[in-house]
Amino acid sequence: MEAPSLEIPGHVAFAEGNGGLPKVLVTTPWSEAEIYLHGAHVTDFRKSGEAPLLFMSAASDFHPEKPIRGGVPLIFPWFGPREGLPSHGYARTTLWSLEETNVFAGGEVMLRFRMPTQEDLTVEYIVRVGAKLSLELAVTYTGQESISFETCFHTYFLIGDIHTATVTGLKGCHYLDKLQGALAIDDPADAIAFQGETERVYTACPETTHLIDPTLGRSIRIAKSGSRSTVIWNPWIEKSRRMPDIGDEEYLRMLCIESGNVAPDSHHLFPSSRATLRVEISSSPLPHQTQP
Ligand code: TA6
């Protein structure tokens, strides 16, 4: 368990989470959040009086050797499957340390986590909780050779109904449709709607996206910097049935909008350089739909 000095009464507290895993509870004037040291995994972020912004599977594992299904899985140093290696890298199943906590004058809380790594690599994660949730993953490399890697916030958003939710901001962007063998497609649509399993990797795509949720009556804004890739994923019915850590019906209430640098957008770091991935998540009520 972390040194008690990192606790801040009324703002930052340590607790035992699911599976006996240590977690940090964050309270601010606007919101609450929860972060497990396992994977430095943000598992909950909710604004006062609003439904949680992040989805968490009721069937998720909470085990030192397994990823948590929901919230914001940290993806590093690779995205996707690797023969004989853990899918999406090992950052999300590594025990991170909490190095620093702070509460700012307005009440926003900052937490800085560090991942145990080899000596020429520093991987730090700064989480700021307030009216918004701001995430920053910084990889600093001091080695002698260039290195390549992928990063991604594999964020699971809670939605009211996948049949009514849409995603805007990606019109005209280029994506690889992973369900059609990574077929390259330019997306003409103003908004993405969902009628089946969806897995799209938008590349060279720095755009801010919005998740429009008429069922929960809100719009979630996903603004990012240092990110050229956006991944949109819903497993739908058949894939959900094949996944033991997600309920058969949970696809109806989740949507992944992932911000990172993957596939052709991978990082290539030269000696003594740094890569930083940032995302800022916020929500606002949808204007009342006046009945026609
Ligand atoms: O981001 C979409 C994806 O790559 C899908 O292929 C699906 O496998 C999802 O990630 C979840 O991967 P995981 O390793 O967490 O089961």
Side-chain angles (χ1 to χ4, degrees), residues 69 79-80 87-88 92 154 156 199 231 233 239 243 258:
R69 179 71 63 197
F79 181 90
S87 169
H88 287 321
R92 64 178 180 168
H154 195 298
Y156 288 72
E199 184 171 350
V231 181
W233 177 62
K239 185 153 189 176
M243 297 171 69
E258 308 161 32

Side-chain angles (χ1 to χ4, degrees), residues 78 80-90:
W78 63 81
R82 284 287 185 287
E83 186 64 37
L85 292 169
S87 169
H88 287 321
Y90 45 77

Side-chain angles (χ1 to χ4, degrees), residues 183-215:
L183 177 67
I185 299 174
D186 289 321
D187 191 349
D190 289 322
I192 307 168
F194 301 88
Q195 293 91 23
E197 182 179 353
T198 305
E199 184 171 350
R200 301 181 177 187
V201 178
Y202 288 82
T203 59
C205 172
E207 274 74 13
T208 290
T209 52
H210 286 81
L211 170 50
I212 311 300
D213 185 344
T215 302

